[in-house]
Amino acid sequence: AQSVAQPEDQVNVAEGNPLTVKCTYSVSGNPYLFWYVQYPNRGLQFLLKYITGDNLVKGSYGFEAEFNKSQTSFHLKKPSALVSDSALYFCAVRAGHRGSTLGRLYFGRGTQLTVWP
Amino acid sequence: DGGITQSPKYLFRKEGQNVTLSCEQNLNHDAMYWYRQDPGQGLRLIYYSQIVNDFQKGDIAEGYSVSREKKESFPLTVTSAQKNPTAFYLCASAKSGEQYFGPGTRLTVT
């Protein structure tokens, strides 16, 4: 069965400091991993994805994530946090054939990131 | 929020009434999804559809119904059988597994 765990409900970090939002997953076969961000009363916005290739994936707004197969993790990182990064972050996983829409996404419960000035 | 629209943004209904939430996409995506979001519970899948005239139940389908008569449209009906319908509802469409989300509809039932 597919599942995602985001062990921290909240992450607080000072502006300018590096941030990490943690995600671990369980999936049958090769994982396709995603990070999304949600601002209040809005839909989810895509940040980045890992399908195959380089374990370090770069995405929107300066975010990156590192795929670690042995630890089944896909932590989201940013070298220098901004106040505007404050939002709800979701990790998601799916298994399926590359290029196919088959295979639903399984989401974590979300991590609320707060960046204080 | 891309080419996916959900209307209305806020919806109020009395208990016992059915209500239909609209979701339209112009991205030519085959797959569409409905999620329910409650505080602290993340996103839970209600229904999804891979192609026109076909759909599958997700994890919390009880009290909900859908139709997929057109590729562009995937309306969700919240029936009176849904015990706790007040929530934020998100629609998504997908291509190559990557999902694109609409802006959401906040439904309040009193």
Side-chain angles (χ1 to χ4, degrees), chain A residues 15-110:
Chain A
E15 188 172 34
N17 283 0
L19 69 87
T20 299
V21 182
K22 295 179 180 178
C23 171
T24 58
Y25 66 89
S26 173
V27 68
S28 303
N30 293 324
Y32 294 173
L33 294 153
F34 303 82
W35 275 103
Y36 288 84
V37 60
Q38 184 183 33
Y39 297 96
N41 294 311
R42 300 288 300 276
L44 274 64
Q45 296 178 31
F46 171 79
L47 274 181
L48 52 79
K49 66 181 177 185
Y50 171 84
I51 303 296
T52 186
D54 195 346
N55 289 345
L56 185 64
V57 179
K58 294 188 183 299
S60 307
Y61 313 119
F63 283 93
E64 58 189 28
E66 187 168 11
F67 171 63
N68 187 317
K69 188 173 183 178
S70 63
Q71 297 185 3
T72 61
S73 67
F74 190 56
H75 301 330
L76 182 69
K77 300 182 180 184
K78 187 173 183 181
S80 179
L82 299 173
V83 172
S84 57
D85 292 331
S86 298
L88 187 58
Y89 291 81
F90 289 97
C91 181
V93 67
R94 68 176 279 258
H97 297 292
R98 185 177 184 179
S100 170
T101 57
L102 294 177
R104 48 171 285 190
L105 282 181
Y106 292 81
F107 285 85
R109 294 161 68 96

